[in-house]
Amino acid sequence: MRNRMGNEWDTIIIGAGLGGLTAAARLVGAGRRVLVLERNPHPGGTAYVYNRRGFSFPMGPLGFSHPGIVRSILRDLKVEDDLSLHRVHYRIRAFGCDVPLSLPPPGW
């Protein structure tokens, strides 16, 4: 596959979500030439928060509520930064209510 500049790609990945970016990083680490295409103005796919009318809506994957999984993927990708990962807890705060969601079992 060649682009307009005559460069050749081994792989083209559609979507710069976490899966696409992880796949791209693994392929680049294996010496492949990779092109990642994304239609949204931000990378990360659903790992995003948008705000509307004073409310925040986390769109992120629930995998981030499991730091061990994230840490394992980053280790496999040779990301050596000393990251401090913490389990994510979601809450619904609206109309005078504050309801915790996604708590680990001891928090129920």
Side-chain angles (χ1 to χ4, degrees):
M1 295 168 269
R2 292 187 186 277
N3 66 12
R4 288 183 281 183
M5 305 294 289
N7 295 324
E8 190 169 308
W9 307 108
D10 297 311
T11 305
I12 297 175
I13 295 176
I14 308 298
L18 295 176
L21 293 174
T22 300
R26 287 180 181 242
L27 289 164
V28 167
R32 304 289 193 262
R33 292 178 53 94
V34 178
L35 173 66
V36 179
L37 302 173
E38 174 59 56
R39 69 176 173 173
N40 289 313
H42 60 84
T46 60
Y48 185 70
V49 174
Y50 74 92
N51 297 296
R52 182 170 290 157
R53 296 184 182 177
F55 295 98
S56 295
F57 299 91
M59 302 304 295
L62 292 178
F64 277 105
S65 64
H66 299 282
I69 294 171
V70 175
R71 192 174 285 115
S72 174
I73 291 169
L74 293 175
R75 189 178 321 115
D76 288 348
L77 292 173
K78 308 287 190 266
V79 174
E80 302 296 331
D81 292 336
D82 185 22
L83 299 175
S84 177
L85 300 174
H86 304 279
R87 185 178 168 95
V88 174
H89 302 287
Y90 295 101
R91 307 179 81 78
I92 294 177
R93 292 182 183 158
F95 312 109
C97 296
D98 186 355
V99 181
L101 301 174
S102 70
L103 291 174
W108 294 345

